[in-house]
Each structure stands twice: as C-alpha cells, then as structure tokens.
C-alpha cells in the first residue's frame, strides 16, 4: 500500500530533528511492505482533502511560526475537512500551537491558528525544558507510556472537555499545571514532545501508521510486530531521565 504524507512547511518547522519522525514512519512502513510517500506542502501548494493519509508538522521558533502562520491558516479549512474525513495528524511543538485557535507571543501579538485543536497558547516568561513522561490511552484499555523532550515557553490551554494526548507522569506538559499534555481530535494528535518523538516510542509510530492505512483503505490493519528491543532501550533511558527529573 502507498501511504501519502503531507509534511507541512518542512523548511521552516524542523527544529529538534523533527524529520527523524518521518524517517521512522518510512522504515516501519517499509518493513511491513508499505511505501511512505512524503510530500512537502508549503504556501503555494493546494491541499486537497482525501489526498493525504497523514499530515505532519514539526516544531519551530516564534520567528518561523510568524513567517508561516498566514499561509498555514490559508490551508485551515482543507485541513479541518481532511481530518473530519479521517486523515491522521502528528503536530509537534510550534506546529501543535499553530493548529490550535491562536498563539499569543511575548509581545502580546496574536498569531491566528488553524482551529483544528480546541485550544489556545500564550507565551510565558519561563521556558519549560526537559524530559517528559506521559501515560496515554489512545485505545480504550491500552495504556502506554510516551517519552520525549519538551522545550517551550508557550502555555497551552485546552478548552473545557477537550481530550488531551496523555497525563503527565513527569515534566511540565501543556501548561505546567493541568497535568495534561497534548491534544487529540479523532486521528489527529498534537504534542510538545520531540527528541525526535517516534524513535523512542515505536508504539505511537505504529498507531499513526495504522490510522493512515485505515484512512486509505477504510479498514484498520493489524501491523506485523517488529523486533523493538533497541527502541525499548531508548524509551527506558528517556523515561528514566524524566522520572529522575520528578513530578510536575
Ligand atoms: N513558540 C514556541 C514556544 O513556546 C516554540 C516551541 C517550539 O517549537 N520549540 O517556545
């Protein structure tokens, strides 16, 4: 099967080795006999709902966010339509903030967001930096831990009733207070975690591949298990660092 990924603004939002997430998805798809076709999507590209099975948007500084916010906003309606029709999303850090309603920077200037995630973000004085450990339950009854690294000044506030990606076991998360991290809308996930995220959390890479394939075929596939020994070690190192850092 050919899985088509739309990588939004890769030239601007790409800090913290976010591209590593794409490399992991491509390898894990290939090991199951699937091809991952990654298309860069920028200001001049047309975004046609239904064409992409997964959208990916990485992290960036305020400066880059400012540069692309208007062009990303222009794709907003198409993105929301695509997700409502079952496309998957992974949005990291700066990209996560811009898929919310707005991001207010330190000068009080507001960048309008895409409005895909029911949340908004306000820049704070102190940066929240360090290893993070979450507990997630993306499928009912299947609890998993997610380990990553956060580095953000923005505080993200979820709307009442919005679904977070996970519960913070160690680290700051969305705002350093709520005990939640990230956001989920259907097959769309937003998070502050990078590192990059997927090499040390292969279960999440497979969840995203499963969602992308389900969008393509209309049916959830069962992916062949892989030997994730090394990935499990990477997860443990990262999780141990987060635990040593302590609770919120
Ligand atoms: N505006 C962001 C912040 O809160 C950028 C986050 C990021 O992608 N590192 O710091």
């Amino acid at each position: 099967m050919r899985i088509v990924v739309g990588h939004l603004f890769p030239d601007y939002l790409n800090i913290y080795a976010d591209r590593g997430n794409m490399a992991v998805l491509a390898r894990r798809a290939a090991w199951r006999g699937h091809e991952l076709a990654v298309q860069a999507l920028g200001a001049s590209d047309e975004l046609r709902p239904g064409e992409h099975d997964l959208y990916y948007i990485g992290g960036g500084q305020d400066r880059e966010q400012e540069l692309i916010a208007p062009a990303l906003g222009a794709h907003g309606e198409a993105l929301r339509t695509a997700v409502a029709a079952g496309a998957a999303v992974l949005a990291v850090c700066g990209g996560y903030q811009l898929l919310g309603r707005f991001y207010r920077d330190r000068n009080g200037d507001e960048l309008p967001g895409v409005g895909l995630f029911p949340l908004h973000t306000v820049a704070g004085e102190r940066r929240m930096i360090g290893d993070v450990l979450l507990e997630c339950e993306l499928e009912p009854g299947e609890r998993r831990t997610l380990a990553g690294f956060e580095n953000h000044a923005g505080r993200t506030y979820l709307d009442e009733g919005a679904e977070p990606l996970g519960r913070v076991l160690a680290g700051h998360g969305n705002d350093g207070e709520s005990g939640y991290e990230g956001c989920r809308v259907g097959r769309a996930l937003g998070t502050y975690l990078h590192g990059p995220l997927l090499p040390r959390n292969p279960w999440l890479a497979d969840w995203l591949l499963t969602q992308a394939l389900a969008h393509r075929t209309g049916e959830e596939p069962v992916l062949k298990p892989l030997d994730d020994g090394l990935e499990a070690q990477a997860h443990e190192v990262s999780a141990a660092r987060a635990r040593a850092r302590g609770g919120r």
Side-chain angles (χ1 to χ4, degrees):
M1 198 66 64
R2 191 160 185 266
I3 303 166
V4 185
V5 178
H7 189 169
L8 290 153
F9 300 91
D11 298 336
Y12 292 88
L13 300 178
N14 56 15
I15 52 173
Y16 310 121
D18 286 325
R19 277 172 215 252
N21 289 328
M22 287 295 100
V24 167
L25 285 179
R27 270 328 289 164
R28 296 184 76 83
W31 281 327
R32 272 68 168 249
H34 302 299
E35 183 202 346
L36 198 84
V38 182
Q39 299 174 354
L41 293 173
S44 56
D45 296 300
E46 197 188 335
L47 210 144
R48 285 177 290 269
E51 201 169 296
H52 299 97
D53 305 303
L54 170 71
Y55 292 95
Y56 178 69
I57 182 163
Q61 313 284 7
D62 284 26
R63 201 180 95 78
E64 281 78 35
Q65 288 178 288
E66 238 169 76
L67 288 172
I68 61 112
L72 179 65
H75 291 317
E77 195 183 333
L79 260 178
R80 291 191 306 271
T81 305
V83 170
V89 174
L90 177 61
V92 175
C93 212
Y96 165 47
Q97 295 174 343
L98 287 182
L99 293 196
R101 265 197 313 277
F102 64 85
Y103 170 61
R104 190 181 303 142
D105 70 17
R106 232 164 303 166
N107 304 324
D109 294 334
E110 238 170 63
L111 293 182
V114 157
L116 173 67
F117 294 122
L119 56 84
H120 68 275
T121 303
V122 179
E125 287 299 315
R126 202 172 45 87
R127 291 195 78 77
M128 302 194 271
I129 306 175
D131 291 278
V132 190
L133 189 64
L134 309 182
E135 182 178 68
C136 305
E137 192 173 336
L138 295 183
E139 301 301 328
E142 279 181 39
R143 289 211 181 144
R144 307 280 204 156
T145 51
L146 197 66
F149 188 87
E150 63 185 330
N151 182 356
H152 53 110
R155 271 82 174 138
T156 293
Y157 301 100
L158 301 184
D159 288 3
E160 187 77 36
E163 188 184 343
L165 168 62
R167 212 165 51 79
V168 177
L169 300 178
H172 296 292
N174 276 338
D175 59 4
E177 286 176 0
S178 65
Y180 293 118
E181 206 288 323
C183 188
R184 175 186 184 181
V185 171
R187 291 180 174 143
L189 305 181
T191 180
Y192 275 112
L193 271 54
H194 42 74
L197 174 67
L198 299 180
R200 54 182 90 171
N201 298 288
W203 71 265
L204 184 65
D206 282 357
W207 187 87
L208 289 166
L209 286 176
T210 302
Q211 306 308 312
L213 283 162
H215 173 261
R216 171 94 350 198
T217 65
E219 243 173 80
E220 261 195 30
V222 178
L223 295 178
K224 183 172 68 99
L226 300 173
D227 174 4
D228 284 331
L230 269 179
E231 289 81 351
Q233 282 179 39
H235 179 91
E236 215 16 73
V237 169
S238 183
R241 274 201 308 248
R243 286 193 197 98
R245 172 191 188 185
R248 296 176 286 118

